[in-house]
Amino acid sequence: MTCLSLASHGQDSDSMSVSSLRATGLKALQEGNRDLAIESADAIVRQHSNDARAIRLAADIYLRSGKVDWATRLFNRYAKVAPEQMPELWQRGIALYFSGNYGEAAKQFEAHRSVNPNDVENAAWHFLCVAKARSFDEAKKLILPAPGDRRIPMQQILEMLSSGDTEAVNARVNETKVGTAERADAAFYGDFYLGLYADAAGDLERARKLLDRASKDAPHHYMGDISRVYATYLHSDDAKTSVKK
Protein backbone atom coordinates (compact mmCIF):
# COMPACT_ATOMS: atom_id res chain seq x y z
CA MET A 1 0.00 0.00 0.00
CA THR A 2 1.26 3.45 -0.87
CA CYS A 3 1.91 5.54 2.24
CA LEU A 4 0.57 9.04 1.74
CA SER A 5 1.62 12.03 3.82
CA LEU A 6 -0.48 14.86 5.20
CA ALA A 7 0.93 17.06 2.45
CA SER A 8 -0.20 14.63 -0.24
CA HIS A 9 -3.69 14.90 1.25
CA GLY A 10 -3.54 18.65 0.65
CA GLN A 11 -3.12 19.36 4.35
CA ASP A 12 -0.65 21.63 6.11
CA SER A 13 -0.09 20.09 9.54
CA ASP A 14 1.14 23.41 10.93
CA SER A 15 -2.28 24.97 10.44
CA MET A 16 -4.45 22.02 11.50
CA SER A 17 -6.39 21.92 14.75
CA VAL A 18 -6.05 19.10 17.28
CA SER A 19 -9.47 17.79 16.24
CA SER A 20 -8.55 17.76 12.55
CA LEU A 21 -5.24 16.01 13.18
CA ARG A 22 -6.93 13.46 15.40
CA ALA A 23 -9.60 12.82 12.77
CA THR A 24 -6.91 12.36 10.12
CA GLY A 25 -5.00 9.97 12.37
CA LEU A 26 -8.05 7.88 13.22
CA LYS A 27 -9.13 7.70 9.58
CA ALA A 28 -5.62 6.55 8.67
CA LEU A 29 -5.81 3.80 11.31
CA GLN A 30 -9.18 2.68 9.95
CA GLU A 31 -7.57 2.40 6.52
CA GLY A 32 -4.56 0.53 7.90
CA ASN A 33 -2.18 3.40 7.08
CA ARG A 34 0.04 3.51 10.16
CA ASP A 35 2.57 5.90 8.61
CA LEU A 36 -0.04 8.60 8.08
CA ALA A 37 -1.47 7.99 11.55
CA ILE A 38 1.97 8.44 13.10
CA GLU A 39 2.56 11.56 11.05
CA SER A 40 -0.70 12.97 12.41
CA ALA A 41 0.36 12.17 15.99
CA ASP A 42 3.75 13.77 15.35
CA ALA A 43 1.99 16.93 14.20
CA ILE A 44 -0.23 16.96 17.29
CA VAL A 45 2.82 16.81 19.55
CA ARG A 46 4.74 19.36 17.51
CA GLN A 47 1.95 21.90 17.26
CA HIS A 48 -0.01 21.33 20.48
CA SER A 49 2.52 20.13 23.05
CA ASN A 50 1.09 22.36 25.80
CA ASP A 51 -2.42 20.93 25.43
CA ALA A 52 -2.86 18.01 27.86
CA ARG A 53 -5.81 16.61 25.93
CA ALA A 54 -3.79 16.69 22.73
CA ILE A 55 -0.96 14.76 24.36
CA ARG A 56 -3.36 12.00 25.36
CA LEU A 57 -4.87 11.85 21.86
CA ALA A 58 -1.41 11.55 20.31
CA ALA A 59 -0.51 8.79 22.79
CA ASP A 60 -3.58 6.80 21.70
CA ILE A 61 -2.60 7.05 18.05
CA TYR A 62 1.00 6.07 18.76
CA LEU A 63 -0.10 3.03 20.76
CA ARG A 64 -2.51 1.85 18.09
CA SER A 65 0.22 2.36 15.47
CA GLY A 66 2.76 0.26 17.38
CA LYS A 67 4.94 3.15 18.57
CA VAL A 68 4.83 1.84 22.11
CA ASP A 69 7.73 3.78 23.63
CA TRP A 70 6.38 7.08 22.29
CA ALA A 71 2.91 6.22 23.58
CA THR A 72 4.25 5.34 27.03
CA ARG A 73 6.16 8.60 27.34
CA LEU A 74 3.11 10.64 26.38
CA PHE A 75 0.71 8.74 28.64
CA ASN A 76 3.13 9.27 31.52
CA ARG A 77 3.39 12.94 30.65
CA TYR A 78 -0.38 13.26 30.55
CA ALA A 79 -0.72 11.49 33.91
CA LYS A 80 1.64 14.01 35.49
CA VAL A 81 -0.23 17.07 34.27
CA ALA A 82 -3.70 15.58 34.82
CA PRO A 83 -3.30 13.17 37.77
CA GLU A 84 -7.04 13.17 38.42
CA GLN A 85 -7.43 11.35 35.09
CA MET A 86 -5.03 8.53 36.02
CA PRO A 87 -7.75 5.93 36.78
CA GLU A 88 -9.16 6.36 33.28
CA LEU A 89 -5.89 5.48 31.53
CA TRP A 90 -6.24 1.76 30.82
CA GLN A 91 -4.45 2.49 27.56
CA ARG A 92 -1.38 3.48 29.57
CA GLY A 93 -1.44 0.05 31.20
CA ILE A 94 -1.26 -1.65 27.81
CA ALA A 95 1.58 0.62 26.70
CA LEU A 96 3.46 -0.11 29.92
CA TYR A 97 3.02 -3.84 29.37
CA PHE A 98 4.54 -3.68 25.90
CA SER A 99 7.36 -1.54 27.32
CA GLY A 100 8.13 -4.26 29.89
CA ASN A 101 7.08 -2.24 32.94
CA TYR A 102 4.78 -4.94 34.28
CA GLY A 103 4.52 -3.80 37.90
CA GLU A 104 3.49 -0.27 36.99
CA ALA A 105 1.10 -1.63 34.37
CA ALA A 106 -0.60 -3.81 36.98
CA LYS A 107 -1.07 -0.74 39.20
CA GLN A 108 -2.67 1.11 36.30
CA PHE A 109 -5.23 -1.64 35.77
CA GLU A 110 -5.94 -1.74 39.50
CA ALA A 111 -6.61 2.01 39.38
CA HIS A 112 -8.85 1.62 36.34
CA ARG A 113 -11.10 -0.80 38.19
CA SER A 114 -12.17 2.09 40.45
CA VAL A 115 -13.92 3.72 37.48
CA ASN A 116 -14.76 0.62 35.42
CA PRO A 117 -15.39 -2.29 37.83
CA ASN A 118 -17.19 -4.58 35.36
CA ASP A 119 -14.57 -4.78 32.60
CA VAL A 120 -13.16 -8.29 32.11
CA GLU A 121 -10.57 -6.98 29.67
CA ASN A 122 -9.10 -4.85 32.43
CA ALA A 123 -8.97 -7.89 34.73
CA ALA A 124 -7.27 -9.96 32.00
CA TRP A 125 -4.57 -7.38 31.34
CA HIS A 126 -3.98 -7.05 35.08
CA PHE A 127 -3.66 -10.85 35.29
CA LEU A 128 -1.08 -10.83 32.50
CA CYS A 129 0.98 -8.08 34.12
CA VAL A 130 0.99 -9.75 37.54
CA ALA A 131 2.03 -13.04 35.90
CA LYS A 132 4.97 -11.27 34.26
CA ALA A 133 5.93 -9.17 37.29
CA ARG A 134 5.54 -11.96 39.87
CA SER A 135 4.36 -15.38 38.70
CA PHE A 136 1.48 -17.13 36.98
CA ASP A 137 0.37 -18.71 40.26
CA GLU A 138 0.43 -15.32 42.00
CA ALA A 139 -1.69 -13.84 39.20
CA LYS A 140 -4.35 -16.52 39.82
CA LYS A 141 -4.58 -15.37 43.45
CA LEU A 142 -4.94 -11.67 42.60
CA ILE A 143 -7.64 -11.63 39.90
CA LEU A 144 -9.59 -8.39 39.84
CA PRO A 145 -13.35 -8.92 40.20
CA ALA A 146 -15.27 -7.93 37.06
CA PRO A 147 -18.91 -8.97 37.46
CA GLY A 148 -21.61 -8.35 34.92
CA ASP A 149 -19.63 -8.03 31.67
CA ARG A 150 -22.22 -9.41 29.23
CA ARG A 151 -20.09 -9.38 26.11
CA ILE A 152 -19.46 -12.80 24.60
CA PRO A 153 -17.32 -14.61 25.81
CA MET A 154 -16.15 -12.32 28.66
CA GLN A 155 -17.70 -14.33 31.51
CA GLN A 156 -15.87 -17.45 30.36
CA ILE A 157 -12.63 -15.46 29.96
CA LEU A 158 -12.90 -14.20 33.53
CA GLU A 159 -13.51 -17.72 34.82
CA MET A 160 -10.57 -19.01 32.77
CA LEU A 161 -8.16 -16.75 34.64
CA SER A 162 -8.70 -18.77 37.81
CA SER A 163 -9.77 -22.17 36.44
CA GLY A 164 -7.60 -22.46 33.35
CA ASP A 165 -10.63 -23.71 31.40
CA THR A 166 -9.88 -22.50 27.87
CA GLU A 167 -12.41 -24.84 26.26
CA ALA A 168 -15.30 -23.01 27.89
CA VAL A 169 -14.23 -19.86 26.06
CA ASN A 170 -14.23 -21.66 22.71
CA ALA A 171 -17.54 -23.36 23.50
CA ARG A 172 -19.23 -20.04 24.23
CA VAL A 173 -17.90 -18.56 20.99
CA ASN A 174 -19.18 -21.58 19.07
CA GLU A 175 -22.68 -21.02 20.45
CA THR A 176 -22.98 -17.88 18.32
CA LYS A 177 -24.27 -18.11 14.77
CA VAL A 178 -21.63 -18.60 12.09
CA GLY A 179 -21.41 -15.74 9.60
CA THR A 180 -22.87 -13.10 11.92
CA ALA A 181 -21.26 -9.98 13.33
CA GLU A 182 -21.81 -11.45 16.79
CA ARG A 183 -19.76 -14.52 15.87
CA ALA A 184 -16.93 -12.46 14.35
CA ASP A 185 -16.78 -10.23 17.43
CA ALA A 186 -16.87 -13.16 19.85
CA ALA A 187 -14.21 -15.09 17.89
CA PHE A 188 -11.91 -12.06 17.86
CA TYR A 189 -12.11 -11.49 21.60
CA GLY A 190 -11.94 -15.21 22.31
CA ASP A 191 -8.71 -15.65 20.37
CA PHE A 192 -7.29 -12.40 21.73
CA TYR A 193 -7.73 -13.30 25.39
CA LEU A 194 -6.91 -16.98 24.95
CA GLY A 195 -3.65 -15.70 23.47
CA LEU A 196 -3.13 -13.30 26.35
CA TYR A 197 -3.70 -16.15 28.80
CA ALA A 198 -1.15 -18.30 26.97
CA ASP A 199 1.31 -15.41 27.12
CA ALA A 200 0.74 -15.12 30.88
CA ALA A 201 1.35 -18.86 31.24
CA GLY A 202 4.62 -18.62 29.31
CA ASP A 203 3.37 -20.57 26.28
CA LEU A 204 4.76 -18.21 23.67
CA GLU A 205 4.13 -20.52 20.71
CA ARG A 206 0.41 -20.82 21.49
CA ALA A 207 0.15 -17.10 22.28
CA ARG A 208 1.62 -16.26 18.88
CA LYS A 209 -0.75 -18.61 17.07
CA LEU A 210 -3.82 -17.16 18.75
CA LEU A 211 -2.84 -13.49 18.40
CA ASP A 212 -1.86 -14.04 14.78
CA ARG A 213 -5.34 -15.46 14.22
CA ALA A 214 -7.09 -12.72 16.21
CA SER A 215 -5.26 -9.96 14.33
CA LYS A 216 -5.57 -11.45 10.85
CA ASP A 217 -9.03 -10.08 10.10
CA ALA A 218 -9.44 -7.84 13.14
CA PRO A 219 -11.49 -4.68 12.70
CA HIS A 220 -9.72 -1.33 12.76
CA HIS A 221 -11.03 -0.27 16.14
CA TYR A 222 -8.94 0.27 19.28
CA MET A 223 -8.56 -3.35 20.38
CA GLY A 224 -8.32 -4.56 16.80
CA ASP A 225 -5.30 -2.31 16.36
CA ILE A 226 -3.91 -3.48 19.72
CA SER A 227 -4.23 -7.09 18.54
CA ARG A 228 -1.95 -6.27 15.61
CA VAL A 229 0.53 -4.55 17.91
CA TYR A 230 0.35 -7.53 20.28
CA ALA A 231 0.87 -10.08 17.50
CA THR A 232 3.96 -8.22 16.30
CA TYR A 233 5.28 -7.91 19.85
CA LEU A 234 4.96 -11.65 20.47
CA HIS A 235 7.33 -12.31 17.58
CA SER A 236 9.93 -9.89 18.98
CA ASP A 237 12.93 -10.57 21.19
CA ASP A 238 11.26 -8.57 23.97
CA ALA A 239 8.49 -11.16 24.20
CA LYS A 240 11.04 -14.01 24.33
CA THR A 241 12.87 -12.49 27.28
CA SER A 242 9.63 -11.79 29.19
CA VAL A 243 8.62 -15.45 29.41
CA LYS A 244 9.04 -16.84 32.95
CA LYS A 245 10.43 -20.35 33.13
Side-chain angles (χ1 to χ4, degrees):
M1 180 180 66
T2 302
C3 294
L4 301 177
S5 67
L6 289 171
S8 68
H9 281 69
Q11 296 171 308
D12 178 4
S13 64
D14 291 348
S15 63
M16 294 175 70
S17 67
V18 173
S19 296
S20 294
L21 288 167
R22 176 179 181 270
T24 298
L26 293 181
K27 186 173 186 293
L29 286 170
Q30 290 169 357
E31 295 172 349
N33 189 342
R34 283 185 173 183
D35 289 342
L36 181 57
I38 291 168
E39 187 178 347
S40 299
D42 289 344
I44 290 174
V45 175
R46 185 173 64 249
Q47 298 299 319
H48 306 282
S49 61
N50 293 322
D51 182 336
R53 172 177 165 273
I55 291 302
R56 178 174 177 175
L57 294 175
D60 278 330
I61 294 172
Y62 282 140
L63 178 59
R64 294 175 63 176
S65 301
K67 293 294 183 180
V68 175
D69 290 341
W70 298 4
T72 303
R73 286 196 293 270
L74 290 186
F75 280 130
N76 287 342
R77 180 176 166 186
Y78 177 76
K80 287 180 179 179
V81 300
E84 72 282 359
Q85 294 297 316
M86 174 67 87
E88 301 284 353
L89 292 179
W90 57 268
Q91 302 94 331
R92 175 176 177 266
I94 294 176
L96 287 166
Y97 168 73
F98 288 133
S99 296
N101 195 341
Y102 308 126
E104 191 64 27
K107 291 178 184 177
Q108 178 64 65
F109 294 120
E110 289 163 14
H112 186 61
R113 187 177 183 276
S114 68
V115 296
N116 193 7
N118 310 111
D119 187 1
V120 169
E121 294 186 82
N122 187 67
W125 280 97
H126 176 263
F127 179 92
L128 172 63
C129 292
V130 173
K132 297 290 184 175
R134 302 184 190 182
S135 71
F136 186 69
D137 288 339
E138 191 73 9
K140 293 174 75 172
K141 299 174 184 177
L142 298 173
I143 298 168
L144 296 180
D149 192 331
R150 297 188 179 187
R151 295 174 296 163
I152 301 171
M154 291 302 167
Q155 182 60 40
Q156 290 72 30
I157 289 168
L158 182 64
E159 293 169 358
M160 172 186 69
L161 300 180
S162 57
S163 70
D165 186 359
T166 59
E167 286 308 310
V169 177
N170 287 319
R172 183 67 184 96
V173 171
N174 290 335
E175 289 174 4
T176 60
K177 186 176 180 180
V178 175
T180 64
E182 181 184 52
R183 176 57 171 264
D185 198 50
F188 167 72
Y189 284 106
D191 284 343
F192 189 116
Y193 286 103
L194 285 167
L196 180 149
Y197 184 78
D199 182 14
D203 189 344
L204 189 55
E205 182 177 355
R206 177 166 172 76
R208 286 171 173 166
K209 178 181 178 180
L210 287 161
L211 262 299
D212 285 346
R213 190 164 71 189
S215 64
K216 183 176 181 292
D217 297 312
H220 287 280
H221 56 37
Y222 208 113
M223 293 312 294
D225 288 337
I226 293 299
S227 76
R228 283 177 277 274
V229 175
Y230 200 169
T232 299
Y233 167 79
L234 288 174
H235 288 279
S236 72
D237 290 337
D238 288 339
K240 294 175 186 176
T241 58
S242 76
V243 174
K244 286 185 177 291
K245 301 297 185 181

